[in-house]
Amino acid sequence: MYQVNFEEFGSKVDVLDELYGAVGKGTFKIAIVGEARMNLLLQRDDFIVQQIGIYFRDTYDFNTTSTFEQMFPLGVWSKSRLLPKAETAVYMLMYNARNMSKIAEMFPSLVPVFNEDFRRYQKHHQTGGDFVVYSDVMWTKAPRGMEIPIPW
């Protein structure tokens, strides 16, 4: 298997749905399986693609401490809910303006969670860590005639 391409996805301004809630930003990768053959007609080596695989890779490292990260946390949570992005933006405008009384009135029991909060939890409980997630590979048979010249 050889990874040949990738597509990054996700943005802080995406709609809050199941994918964004679980992943945020990640990478779809494309892999190929096949065999190398000598193309006698063209006098070159070709790679004949037999299968194409698509899989997902993401890292959870909780390292970012940028100004942008301080404006937009991992989320604004309570024990019972997570704020949607539009409400998170309103919350964070008030948070960054230090308007805590208005936050308490409009968003009782909700708090922003930042990367540093996760790090503090890790240190205090001596548990948790960074990790990489890979999905299963979704394989599909390549269309007939997918031949790639090998540049050696």
Side-chain angles (χ1 to χ4, degrees), residues 44-69:
R44 70 177 190 206
D45 292 324
D46 284 345
F47 186 82
I48 312 303
V49 179
Q50 297 167 332
Q51 292 187 334
I52 300 170
I54 299 173
Y55 62 101
F56 168 78
R57 178 186 181 277
D58 192 24
T59 60
Y60 291 80
D61 48 29
F62 307 100
N63 289 328
T64 305
T65 57
S66 69
T67 303
F68 187 78
E69 190 68 34

Side-chain angles (χ1 to χ4, degrees), residues 19-39:
L19 181 61
Y20 185 84
V23 176
K25 293 168 50 176
T27 306
F28 281 110
K29 301 211 174 209
I30 300 170
I32 57 175
V33 171
E35 61 185 41
R37 285 195 201 140
M38 175 61 166
N39 184 325

Side-chain angles (χ1 to χ4, degrees), residues 69-74 92 95 112-118:
E69 190 68 34
Q70 292 302 314
M71 293 174 62
F72 295 96
L74 298 170
M92 292 310 296
Y95 180 87
V113 178
F114 297 95
N115 284 331
E116 64 192 45
D117 297 318
F118 181 77

Side-chain angles (χ1 to χ4, degrees), residues 101-121:
S101 61
K102 191 71 169 170
I103 288 175
E105 177 187 321
M106 291 180 63
F107 303 103
S109 303
L110 287 152
V111 294
V113 178
F114 297 95
N115 284 331
E116 64 192 45
D117 297 318
F118 181 77
R119 290 286 180 213
R120 194 168 40 256
Y121 175 90

